[in-house]
Amino acid sequence: ALASATAMRTESLSSHIRTSNRALRLGLTHEFKPRLHGAAELRRTSGSTADFVHNYRENAITASLNMQL
């Protein structure tokens, strides 16, 4: 299992532009058979643009299945 959370706020020293970002990730891996592995991850990312006028949000789900030959 995987879980991580990050928060970041940056400011440019020369232009004084600020941005803010947050991310949350949750994931699982599973061994179905000795040579067959799967993974799934849920991700949510949000933040603001440099002028704090526009916000954005991304929700994503990824899955993979790997078979070793």
Side-chain angles (χ1 to χ4, degrees):
L2 160 76
S4 70
T6 58
M8 180 173 43
R9 186 176 181 139
T10 59
E11 180 177 354
S12 169
L13 295 176
S14 59
S15 63
H16 302 289
I17 294 174
R18 295 181 191 165
T19 59
S20 178
N21 301 293
R22 294 179 302 195
L24 175 64
R25 297 173 85 142
L26 302 171
L28 294 172
T29 60
H30 184 73
E31 181 179 349
F32 296 103
K33 294 182 178 181
R35 293 183 167 189
L36 185 62
H37 300 265
E41 181 182 77
L42 174 65
R43 182 178 69 241
R44 180 180 176 112
T45 304
S46 62
S48 63
T49 57
D51 55 10
F52 284 98
V53 173
H54 299 93
N55 294 321
Y56 65 89
R57 181 176 26 196
E58 175 190 74
N59 297 307
I61 297 173
T62 59
S64 64
L65 187 61
N66 300 306
M67 187 172 107
Q68 184 179 17
L69 299 177

